[in-house]
Amino acid sequence: MRASASLRRNSYRGSALPVTQQPSVASLRSLPSEKPEGSSLKNLETLVTENGVLEFPETDMEDDALQAAVQTMKRHKTITFEDIALSEGVKQSVYLDYLKWEIDTESAFLELPLTIVVLISFAMLAMNILHQEQLYTMETAIERDIIENANFAWSGHFGHKGILQVHSIADFWSWMRLGFLGLVVKPGWLYSEPAPDILGGPDMTSRPDMPTAWLFNGYERPAPVANEYLHYAKVISGIRMRQSVSGAGDFCVLPSLLDPALLSQWLAKPCFPSDLGLLSPEVHEAENFLGLQREEFLFPDLFTIQELTQQVLDMEDGCAYSNATGNACRCEWCSAGAQSLRPWIDEETSRVEISMVVYNAQYGSYTYVSVNFMFNRGGHIHSFIHCLSAFVNPFLRPGPELALTLVAATLWIGALLYALAAELTEIRGAIRNSNAGLRKALWEDYVGFYNMVDWSSIIVGSLAIGYYFQSRIAASAVNELLPSMIDASLKPDANYQSTVKEFFRAAEDMSKAKKDTELQLMFYPLIIMMRLFRSFEAQPRLALVSATLKTAAPDLGHFFMIFLCVYLCFVVSSLLFFGQDLESFSTMDRALHTSFLAMFGDWDWNAMTDVGMLRAAVWFWVFMVMMVLFMLNMLLAIIMDAYQMEKYKTSDATTLWQQILDMIERRRQYIRGERVRLTDVWKTFRRQYAGKEKAMLSSDQLLSVEYLVNTVTRMPEQQALRTMVHSLKRDDILTHGFMTEEQVNKHVEKTLGSMELKIKAHGTRGERQIQAILEDVEFINDKLDFFDRLLAPGDAEYDFYFGADGQSHDQASRLWIYNSITAISEELQQNFVRGIQRIGTWQDEFECEQTELADGLREFEQLLAQSLEALQELSNVVEGMDKEI
């Protein structure tokens, strides 16, 4: 209802009740009112002040009842913040707290462009240095080539299986010897596969004397060049193979009731426990370079493809064939000591890593290629390819791009230094303004959420810079080793193998440093997001999101307690229900993630039916109904309810563009000398208190307009009054907050209930007082409801009370008087509500002030009676005027 909304809006101190319709000021200077017959009222003059307040001059006011009513209305006249500022003044603590809030808000708002510049400059710097699109191109090409083209199980010139079909040790060696080795170490120029007979005829491979290499224009050597890979890159230092081993031991899980000796005789071998490869490999497993052994190198610079193939065969059979035929064993580990007749891969093997370093001169980058095979103890082999790339020098770029990168780096580093200087300045100010120790001063006067956000941005940004320099140092180490590696490749000597090992170690360090840098850079934009929210809070409409979350926080806290409990129940049930058949539900962390994806529409129904369609359907239906239809929609309802409340609060708030224009206008006024800066006012008080802000903000000294004008240099009186009024408004908002209509109703109901208990202590007299108050409230409510149900212009009843268009001056004046009476009624209602609130605050002192409370209630009763008499008299005046018309 509009009346209820009006009651809520006018329940705050200092709100002015609007006049429904006002004629011009000239026509309201004197509004004669002829008294009706039989009345002692001679003349009633009214006027409207500049603020739109109805005034009743006391001249020629002979009617005692009317004079009493006017005096009563004057006593209950709405007091505005301006009246308080002019008559009483403003506490210094309230005024300075408002100034500090205004200065901090404007400072935070002005940081918004800077924060956006920081974000944009960081994004440009990261993109121009990392060039992720180029790294994606190279790494994807390598991964796809190994997956699709490293084939075995050949039929003619076509391999039927690839790395994804490696399920046994024999499959691994077939893939290594027939697929991967020939893919990386190309024996010659490759031609298309043979055509079947049904397609007719000769093909390229059936022609005699086909060249195995081509010397193209500009080439120094025929293609394919030695160690060339994917036409545009080269393999540096050959191929390295190594593995992690789980040693044999008495770790077999055996039934305790059986004879261990018998079981041992039956198993006939030890167990080799390992946790690797239980599920599909993840990135962190491929990036673990610790504990790898049985290192073997395949050197294309030293050996032909046939010799490398023989080395792989020796690794597979542990040099058994070579020893039998009297040939030299090419597997170093196999031929070492007691390992002469042991294959390179055995049942102890838990992980095999095949790595190589690829250099792409087109983009100037190194790529550490790691092909991993995880041997789990269920007998399955998981394959996983992982590439880690880094640029030789990210600043070897075209001139315009390099200039843009340097500008972005300058802006970003400058912003970090600016934020650091600002925080250190604030810390110094907090220490200076506090009389306590260093720790207490920082905790009480400095530590805050957004200060921690600022420090997080500084720390994370500094760590990102540090990690980047670390990655560049690691890349420089590889660059320094590259010339010696090239010399060793062109002219192999006795130091070739040691050079290769040193180069691989440097490439590992470079890859890990580059990965750590990317991980550190990933966190920085999230910190910048929090700084953006800090700037958004300085603008009411931009702060709508954060304000919504703050308002909804209590309800969200209770909701998520229920949500997490219900969700955890479904996760555990999915783990028990699907875990044995689906990898995505096999562990707690995977079940948490998979169930979360299912809530947002990402699920694999065909895989879920492995446990049975009916069983999967029951679980899926219950999960969707509970988590999606109920829980997620309840979450949205909570957020939308808080959003509607915050949207209502900011319905009249200043827009972003208007706030910018206001700041520009204030700047112009300052230049013209029409106002002073709030920072200058703040500095004036700081000088008075010798920089002790804490003492300055705690003072309750009353400030007046004259004091501010005389104390602050060049401060106009209008600005002094305006800032004092704004400080009172802000203090009122902080004190009372925002009350919804439901909260107002509950407050009134609670106050009336407590007052009823107190008054009942007076017996019959108290009950009569309660009944009188209830009747007055019901009367006022009926009036509000009556006017609230008036329709719109064009309705007869609405036009009778509010329509003034086309009416004469006398008619409009009489109509305005009636509307003024309505406004006075609303004001009386407001005064009544405030009286009840005051009574509520006096409850604790009621026992010692019973007599004063009884006198106050009698006075309140008299005021209501006098007000009703005044209203009756004024109504008689209006009726007399209507009769005369």
Side-chain angles (χ1 to χ4, degrees):
M1 292 174 62
R2 293 194 301 273
S4 300
S6 175
L7 175 59
R8 181 175 65 249
R9 289 193 297 271
N10 296 331
S11 63
Y12 300 113
R13 182 184 63 176
S15 56
L17 291 173
V19 178
T20 309
Q21 223 171 30
Q22 296 182 9
S24 63
V25 175
S27 64
L28 297 177
R29 289 297 181 185
S30 177
L31 295 177
S33 177
E34 298 182 4
K35 65 175 183 176
E37 296 181 3
S39 174
S40 61
L41 185 61
K42 285 185 177 181
N43 189 13
L44 177 62
E45 293 183 356
T46 58
L47 58 88
V48 178
T49 65
E50 295 179 355
N51 297 326
V53 179
L54 179 66
E55 293 287 354
F56 296 91
E58 300 181 14
T59 58
D60 299 329
M61 194 176 296
E62 299 179 357
D63 190 279
D64 295 337
L66 180 60
Q67 186 174 3
V70 170
Q71 292 298 330
T72 300
M73 286 187 287
K74 284 187 175 182
R75 287 198 304 270
H76 291 272
K77 181 178 68 174
T78 301
I79 301 176
T80 64
F81 291 116
E82 184 175 346
D83 296 333
I84 298 174
L86 292 174
S87 61
E88 301 177 10
V90 179
K91 290 182 180 180
Q92 179 174 305
S93 58
V94 173
Y95 185 75
L96 293 182
D97 185 67
Y98 162 74
L99 287 186
K100 189 175 187 301
W101 175 76
E102 276 285 353
I103 294 171
D104 293 343
T105 300
E106 184 172 352
S107 176
F109 183 75
L110 292 176
E111 285 183 4
L112 179 58
L114 176 62
T115 307
I116 295 176
V117 169
V118 170
L119 179 60
I120 295 176
S121 61
F122 174 78
M124 294 174 59
L125 179 63
M127 289 188 296
N128 290 346
I129 288 180
L130 297 179
H131 272 288
Q132 302 283 48
E133 75 283 358
Q134 295 180 4
L135 301 183
Y136 170 80
T137 299
M138 294 180 292
E139 293 178 1
T140 303
I142 294 173
E143 292 175 3
R144 288 178 178 174
D145 185 55
I146 294 175
I147 293 174
E148 301 293 338
N149 295 329
N151 300 323
F152 64 101
W154 288 83
S155 174
H157 285 215
F158 186 79
H160 296 279
K161 294 183 179 181
I163 190 173
L164 300 180
Q165 285 74 46
V166 174
H167 301 306
S168 66
I169 296 177
D171 288 342
F172 169 80
W173 289 116
S174 296
W175 174 86
M176 182 67 196
R177 178 169 50 88
L178 303 178
F180 183 75
L181 189 60
L183 180 70
V184 177
V185 186
K186 293 182 174 59
W189 189 268
L190 299 179
Y191 294 96
S192 60
E193 61 185 272
D197 294 337
I198 193 172
L199 295 181
D203 52 64
M204 297 295 294
T205 57
S206 63
R207 299 182 180 183
D209 302 327
M210 292 299 298
T212 59
W214 294 88
L215 184 62
F216 299 111
N217 294 334
Y219 281 46
E220 295 185 4
R221 284 187 290 174
V225 180
N227 296 329
E228 177 184 291
Y229 183 60
L230 291 177
H231 301 292
Y232 304 103
K234 291 200 67 172
V235 177
I236 309 174
S237 68
I239 302 170
R240 180 179 65 179
M241 300 178 66
R242 54 184 183 170
Q243 60 177 279
S244 60
V245 176
S246 59
D250 298 330
F251 300 106
C252 297
V253 180
L254 303 174
S256 58
L257 298 178
L258 299 180
D259 184 9
L262 179 63
L263 287 174
S264 177
Q265 184 180 3
W266 177 62
L267 289 175
K269 62 180 181 181
C271 296
F272 309 95
S274 173
D275 292 331
L276 286 176
L278 284 175
L279 302 174
S280 297
E282 298 181 10
V283 172
H284 67 88
E285 295 177 319
E287 293 176 353
N288 181 19
F289 302 134
L290 301 176
L292 296 172
Q293 50 186 299
R294 299 186 184 183
E295 190 175 65
E296 289 286 327
F297 285 91
L298 304 177
F299 298 120
D301 292 330
L302 303 180
F303 307 108
T304 64
I305 184 67
Q306 292 77 13
E307 292 173 326
L308 295 176
T309 303
Q310 183 61 45
Q311 181 178 350
V312 172
L313 288 172
D314 287 342
M315 294 172 66
E316 180 180 3
D317 64 6
C319 297
Y321 179 79
S322 296
N323 291 341
T325 57
N327 296 323
C329 179
R330 294 181 175 275
C331 174
E332 294 184 3
W333 181 84
C334 302
S335 60
Q339 308 295 341
S340 57
L341 295 178
R342 188 171 182 179
W344 189 76
I345 295 180
D346 53 23
E347 293 181 2
E348 294 183 1
T349 302
S350 56
R351 172 193 171 193
V352 172
E353 184 210 40
I354 305 170
S355 58
M356 61 182 180
V357 181
V358 178
Y359 176 70
N360 190 306
Q362 320 296 320
Y363 299 116
S365 65
Y366 301 104
T367 301
Y368 182 90
V369 182
S370 175
V371 184
N372 296 268
F373 294 88
M374 308 292 182
F375 295 70
N376 66 27
R377 293 312 179 239
H380 181 67
I381 302 175
H382 291 286
S383 57
F384 187 73
I385 304 173
H386 185 50
C387 298
L388 295 168
S389 301
F391 287 104
V392 173
N393 188 345
F395 295 102
L396 294 178
R397 299 292 175 182
E401 180 181 335
L402 180 60
L404 190 61
T405 303
L406 294 177
V407 170
T410 302
L411 290 175
W412 182 58
I413 295 175
L416 280 181
L417 295 176
Y418 173 80
L420 177 62
E423 292 303 316
L424 293 178
T425 301
E426 190 173 350
I427 290 175
R428 184 181 63 180
I431 296 174
R432 283 184 176 181
N433 296 326
S434 177
N435 297 325
L438 175 62
R439 182 182 302 176
K440 187 175 181 181
L442 293 177
W443 180 257
E444 293 181 354
D445 301 332
Y446 174 74
V447 175
F449 176 74
Y450 285 114
N451 291 109
M452 296 301 99
V453 170
D454 290 338
W455 276 111
S456 298
S457 67
I458 295 170
I459 294 173
V460 174
S462 302
L463 288 176
I465 295 174
Y467 275 101
Y468 176 74
F469 279 111
Q470 180 183 355
S471 67
R472 293 316 311 154
I473 292 172
S476 298
V478 177
N479 292 337
E480 293 174 359
L481 290 173
L482 183 60
S484 60
M485 190 65 246
I486 293 176
D487 291 339
S489 178
L490 295 176
K491 300 176 182 179
D493 55 15
N495 297 325
Y496 179 85
Q497 188 167 353
S498 61
T499 303
V500 169
K501 291 183 178 181
E502 186 178 1
F503 186 83
F504 262 102
R505 284 194 294 269
E508 281 183 9
D509 295 338
M510 176 192 65
S511 303
K512 291 187 290 186
K514 173 63 166 40
K515 198 67 178 180
D516 293 340
T517 302
E518 291 179 350
L519 183 64
Q520 196 67 32
L521 291 176
M522 182 270 293
F523 286 106
Y524 188 76
L526 304 180
I527 305 297
I528 293 297
M529 177 184 67
M530 300 306 300
R531 293 191 62 184
L532 285 172
F533 274 105
R534 176 185 181 181
S535 299
F536 291 159
E537 288 192 355
Q539 212 293 316
R541 293 184 183 269
L542 294 180
L544 189 58
V545 175
S546 57
T548 299
L549 294 178
K550 289 180 181 178
T551 302
D555 292 333
L556 289 178
H558 294 88
F559 168 79
F560 276 115
M561 290 183 63
I562 301 174
F563 177 86
L564 292 177
C565 292
V566 176
Y567 180 67
L568 185 62
C569 292
F570 277 105
V571 170
V572 173
S573 70
S574 68
L575 174 66
L576 301 176
F577 201 52
F578 300 106
Q580 188 173 349
D581 298 282
L582 300 179
E583 183 178 306
S584 56
F585 290 96
S586 58
T587 60
M588 192 65 181
D589 56 338
R590 292 174 185 255
L592 280 168
H593 180 66
T594 306
S595 300
F596 185 80
L597 293 179
M599 283 195 300
F600 295 94
D602 185 4
W603 62 76
D604 188 354
W605 170 249
N606 291 330
M608 294 172 69
T609 56
D610 287 349
V611 301
M613 182 174 178
L614 181 59
R615 296 178 180 180
V618 170
W619 184 91
F620 188 74
W621 275 65
V622 175
F623 178 82
M624 284 294 160
V625 171
M626 287 295 299
M627 300 306 303
V628 178
L629 295 183
F630 290 165
M631 291 297 178
L632 287 186
N633 284 291
M634 288 174 63
L635 176 63
L636 292 177
I638 293 172
I639 295 177
M640 291 306 299
D641 183 60
Y643 174 80
Q644 290 294 336
M645 181 181 296
E646 294 300 326
K647 189 73 166 56
Y648 174 76
K649 291 181 184 179
T650 60
S651 58
D652 298 329
T654 305
T655 62
L656 173 64
W657 311 117
Q658 186 59 46
Q659 188 170 354
I660 294 174
L661 294 176
D662 290 344
M663 295 174 64
I664 295 174
E665 180 61 26
R666 287 198 294 268
R667 178 64 179 173
R668 291 175 179 173
Q669 291 176 354
Y670 168 74
I671 295 174
R672 294 195 300 265
E674 299 175 0
R675 63 179 291 127
V676 296
R677 294 176 299 187
L678 297 182
T679 53
D680 296 336
V681 182
W682 180 264
K683 291 177 182 177
T684 300
F685 282 93
R686 274 180 58 91
R687 286 193 296 268
Q688 291 181 357
Y689 284 82
K692 298 297 183 181
E693 292 185 5
K694 200 168 185 179
M696 182 176 71
L697 290 169
S698 61
S699 174
D700 287 337
Q701 174 188 354
L702 290 177
L703 304 179
S704 63
V705 175
E706 293 78 9
Y707 177 82
L708 291 177
V709 172
N710 296 329
T711 304
V712 182
T713 306
R714 298 174 56 193
M715 187 174 194
E717 181 178 347
Q718 184 179 3
Q719 184 186 5
L721 178 60
R722 183 173 62 251
T723 53
M724 293 175 68
V725 170
H726 290 168
S727 66
L728 288 173
K729 288 182 179 179
R730 181 173 182 271
D731 181 65
D732 183 74
I733 293 174
L734 293 177
T735 303
H736 299 93
F738 179 83
M739 296 183 67
T740 63
E741 183 175 351
E742 181 181 358
Q743 290 173 331
V744 171
N745 294 336
K746 288 183 178 180
H747 179 70
V748 173
E749 182 180 355
K750 180 180 178 181
T751 304
L752 288 174
S754 60
M755 187 178 67
E756 181 180 2
L757 294 176
K758 298 293 183 181
I759 297 179
K760 279 184 177 180
H762 294 278
T764 307
R765 180 184 174 186
E767 293 180 359
R768 288 199 302 268
Q769 291 176 344
I770 295 174
Q771 185 62 31
I773 293 174
L774 293 176
E775 291 176 356
D776 293 337
V777 171
E778 185 177 358
F779 172 77
I780 295 174
N781 183 69
D782 291 340
K783 290 299 181 184
L784 290 174
D785 183 66
F786 170 75
F787 289 110
D788 193 37
R789 287 185 282 105
L790 294 182
L791 299 178
D795 180 77
E797 195 169 16
Y798 182 92
D799 292 339
F800 175 78
Y801 289 106
F802 303 108
D805 296 337
Q807 297 181 358
S808 64
H809 173 76
D810 292 338
Q811 291 173 333
S813 298
R814 295 187 182 93
L815 181 61
W816 178 77
I817 291 175
Y818 192 91
N819 293 336
S820 299
I821 295 173
T822 304
I824 292 172
S825 300
E826 294 178 352
E827 186 176 0
L828 288 175
Q829 180 192 16
Q830 183 183 15
N831 291 330
F832 173 71
V833 173
R834 289 183 179 175
I836 293 176
Q837 292 177 346
R838 288 197 297 270
I839 292 172
T841 60
W842 297 338
Q843 291 179 11
D844 295 337
E845 304 176 1
F846 181 81
E847 296 297 331
C848 63
E849 296 179 350
Q850 290 183 355
T851 305
E852 295 180 6
L853 178 59
D855 294 338
L857 289 174
R858 285 196 298 271
E859 182 183 357
F860 184 77
E861 196 173 305
Q862 292 173 1
L863 290 177
L864 286 177
Q866 291 174 3
S867 299
L868 292 175
E869 291 175 2
L871 291 175
Q872 186 62 39
E873 291 292 336
L874 293 176
S875 298
N876 294 336
V877 172
V878 174
E879 291 176 0
M881 291 180 179
D882 292 336
K883 291 179 180 180
E884 291 176 3
I885 294 175

